[in-house]
Amino acid sequence: MTAPTLGAATAAVPPRRRSTSWTAARRVVLRKPGRVIGLGILVFFALMAILGPYLYPGQLAVDPESIYAPPSGAHWLGTDFAGSDVLQEIVVGARYVLLTASLSALFTAVVGTGVGLVAGYHRGLADSVLMRATDFILTIPAFPLLIVLSTVWSFANPLEMSLVLGLTGWGGVARAVRSQTLSLRERGFLEAARGLGLPTRHIIVKELLPNIAPYVAMQLLLSVIGFIGAEVGLFFLGVVPFSSSNWGVMLNQAVFAGGAMNSPEALGYLLAPLVCILLLTLGVVLFLDAVDELFNPRLRERS
Amino acid sequence: MIEARNITRTYRTRGAFTGERVVQALRGVDFTLPRGGAVSFIGESGCGKTTLGKILTGLETFDGGELVVDGVELSTVPQRRRASYFRRIQMIHQDPYSALNPTRTVDQILGDPLRMRARQTGDRAAGVVDRAAELLELVGLEPDGVLPKYPHQLSGGQRQRVVIARALTVDPEVLIADEAVSMIDVSMRLGILGLLRDLRTRLGISLLFITHDVATARYVGDGGELHVIYRGEVIERGPTDTVIQSPVHPYTQCLLSAVPVMRGLEEPGPDRLVPLAALDERTRTPGCLFAPRCPFADERCTAEHPVLGRTGGVEQEHACFHPVPRRVVAVETV
Amino acid sequence: MTDTVQLTAERAEAAAEVSVRDLTVLYRTDQGELPAVAHADIDLPTGTITGLVGESGSGKSTLALSLMNAIPAPGRISSGSIQVNGVGDVTRLEGRALRRVRGRALGYVFQASQNSLNPLKTVGKQLLDLGRAHDVQDMRGLVRRARELADEMGMDGARVLDSYQHELSGGMRQRVGIVLALVLNARVLILDEPTTALDMLSQAAVLEIVRKVHRQEGLTTLVVTHDMGVVSEIADRLAVMYGGRIVEDGPATEVLQRPAHPYTRALIGATARITGDTDTARALPGRPPDLTTVPRTGCVFRERCPLAMDVCAETEPQLLTWAPDRRRACHADPATTAATGEGA
Ligand SMILES: Nc1ncnc2c1ncn2[C@@H]1O[C@H](COP(=O)(O)OP(=O)(O)OP(=O)(O)O)[C@@H](O)[C@H]1O
Ligand SMILES: Nc1ncnc2c1ncn2[C@@H]1O[C@H](COP(=O)(O)OP(=O)(O)OP(=O)(O)O)[C@@H](O)[C@H]1O
Ligand code: SF4
Ligand code: SF4
Ligand SMILES: [Mg+2]
Ligand SMILES: [Mg+2]
């Protein structure tokens, strides 16, 4: 029959060198300048969070001579109510904020994806139980819980904060992943995998997960932003005790102690953390554009 | 190889407004698929063909009847051990575009089931690479070119061949091809059909061929049987050529009349038949299911249910009170 | 170009409802702008059904869409003209004038139109939207006309207008598509793959309806399909496309009986048929080309052609008249391609 001819036709197409995932990823990011900028911003803040505390070790320097000083050569972003350097505070405060937000996001992504996958793939009893649990989680409001917990915990450890934020936040991801899984389940390739008798673990990890990975990755990035907002908000409102210097505390101090709303003095102090949050959001939004292509081999190789 | 006895499957769905909807997807289907044999099921959309295929591959449950694989009645086998029986029956999916995971290369797509199979049989995993190449060659693909590719880098015909190769990884004895060529480019369809025919003769694999395109059923090889299914019930069956050339059930006749005529090369069959109405899955009747659409229905047809049998002195089995052979398919001119 | 070609072209133009001349449509791709349709020349004679066949990616939909000047970005019509009776050159129309032509002069039923109805609106609502978009004054008349058409097509008009997409079967949706295409009294009906997702019985029913409406309304119809069976069942004329070129056209039965292009012949030979010897049927070697893999020089079919010669790699064959009312684009002798036209 035509079998050999088709084989010949395949041979005629020069075998494409399988680019490693790294070069492919680099190509995807380099394809649009926005993505490079986005990635740059994300890397910048990541470095700030990692290296910040080493850059300015020890306590923040307090300089009673210059309180609320305007930006100058010595203090690029001015100083705060205690005369500490704002830039220094931003840099040092980044770790707590970013670490908590990233941990929370990771937590939501892992738990949400796990629950969603298992519920969606197994359906039936597992689905009912997990979804009831999800619904329950969705009804727990994070803010009041944090206020209550703050009477017990000081939230000095980023882990505590992210545990609470993460624990209350995975419901949405779980629901979305479940519905994606349910629809993927009916796709031919999953039916085929089941028909071949491949183990469930294989099906979930190797067949299902890669297909929802872009969604999960996007969710992860977006929830980092969400959690930064939530967390900074909590500190800003002062509902959780200040345990360390961070962006939320800065905002709170600027508005409630520095009167940044009606005097220009503390403006730099107020704007600095705000701009950082905006920049980070911008970075995430710009980079999101690349996520789909990074995970989808079809989009990835076009160039 | 496979014997199905009186398989039934009823779906109950509950819509928000429509109330309960009951669809009898299969109403007692039985057939025997011998080793190396071919049985084709034809019927219009929604008559239960895919449901049957899924039941046979263990992807769908059935609520009545018996399924015998290699002489073992499956309900006597504990649930956990059924997998080894269903392994012998593999499905070739209709849509080669959704049947392959877009995030995995052909290498991985074939490698994983091969490794699993190697563990089951106690073979060395090292043979997996060779085996993948061997299978691809068997289905007429060039291994080096295809193995590193993602599905989207292959044409429809190539994908369908990969799907077939994947089904062969677990050493099946039966292939179930559900509309296996309908999504393939016309120029390459016959290639896939020829491949299926080859697998029958070369590997002794049995083939269950499911389609709504009757003409393709002729291409899966000699000694095949054609079963015509209507609303979950087989209403006519016999050797493929007999059923096509002289169908006796009016539904078969309508179905065959609908095959387009290649004017210029063929003349329309003299007795071409058109159903009186469109399919309505909801109608219930104690009589012949086809009666509301049948041009020859009489009172008996609406009152009594015809059962599959060999009456009226014709070669094939049928479920009709008034079996009359008619020539409905096109006739070659020249 | 020879004199005979000129003559036939003039003869055809006199009676053609739509005549396409030297149409080239480009899509922008990673490898630059590539032609999905190249130098297409075709007439749709008034009152006939023309079948346009070809494999996936051959440019059928692109050609059909350009008749309405509706090529989506990143594509564009780069050259050629499309004369439509009573409208003029469609490629020169823009904006409002173009929108009026779509629907009023040319009715189009999209590929996969089974899924192109709005799932959230009843068919009737969508009909009114259509009327509003075309500034129809007499909405009652429009609805009446739609009901008539639906009734003609064997549906309960009133019920259909009150239905949502999901309440209709595939065949019915296809018919609704035809109703919407014709309700503004278009004279030209373009159907892109009208039966592809349907089973045999629904396909036969839809084809029968196309034939009936075509005759009753005196339309000029273009049916785009990849299925030889479908065209041969209903078309008067047949045009075969490959790699963006029209490689052959002529009266349907003649082309089927005596294909004059190796591709046409191979396509007929590769069609699963209900009669005849199954052993003689042959799949084509190779795979259908797409925009990027189609040969850039010489004949587009040469990589799969059993008759390919040296000249085929160098010069692209022109679509020329070789017998009365028959055209083909091939360097080989017509006798060699037609001799075994049966696929036997
Ligand atoms: N999971 C399900 N739940 C409810 N009804 C179902 C389900 N699967 C199938 N059905 C119904 O059972 C009937 C048979 O469906 P099936 O898919 O087997 O038909 P088919 O012959 O394969 O049709 P097609 O040619 O369209 O693929 C249909 O009426 C369908 O609506
Ligand atoms: N928007 C687009 N951008 C780039 N290329 C396109 C675009 N649309 C179509 N093409 C290419 O143009 C060529 C012709 O496409 P077209 O849709 O006209 O084919 P067709 O004959 O209708 O195929 P099918 O039978 O699959 O519908 C194909 O190679 C296709 O890949
Ligand atoms: S039994 Fe009666 S209604 Fe049924 S197919 Fe035969 S003639 Fe028609
Ligand atoms: S021009 Fe040459 S390659 Fe092209 S179809 Fe004719 S013979 Fe074949
Ligand atoms: Mg089906
Ligand atoms: Mg198309």
Side-chain angles (χ1 to χ4, degrees), chain B residues 249-250 288 290-291 294 296-297 301 306 319-322:
Chain B
H249 194 287
C288 173
F290 190 56
C294 180
F296 310 108
C301 301
C320 175
F321 294 127
H322 310 290

Side-chain angles (χ1 to χ4, degrees), chain A residues 123 186, chain B residues 9-14 21-26 42-54 60 94 178-179 210-212 229 231-232 279 281, chain C residues 197-199:
Chain A
R123 302 190 294 195
E186 305 304 321
Chain B
R9 177 69 166 105
T10 306
Y11 287 112
R12 288 166 204 283
T13 46
R14 195 175 285 281
R21 197 177 75 105
V22 178
V23 177
Q24 281 188 277
L26 295 174
I42 62 165
E44 70 195 296
S45 183
C47 67
K49 307 184 296 290
T50 298
T51 306
L52 179 65
K54 286 190 174 172
E60 186 69 83
Q94 163 178 17
D178 184 5
E179 307 276 9
I210 297 174
T211 183
H212 67 85
I229 182 167
R231 291 185 66 189
L279 173 66
E281 286 163 0
Chain C
L198 304 178
D199 67 47

Side-chain angles (χ1 to χ4, degrees), chain C residues 277-316:
Chain C
D277 189 352
T278 52
D279 293 332
T280 56
R282 285 274 173 279
L284 264 75
R287 59 198 265 190
D290 65 21
L291 234 48
T292 53
T293 56
V294 77
R296 309 269 168 98
T297 55
C299 174
V300 282
F301 186 55
R302 65 169 201 268
E303 283 164 3
R304 300 170 83 188
C305 181
L307 303 178
M309 305 165 285
D310 289 344
V311 59
C312 305
E314 290 147 21
T315 338
E316 185 174 343

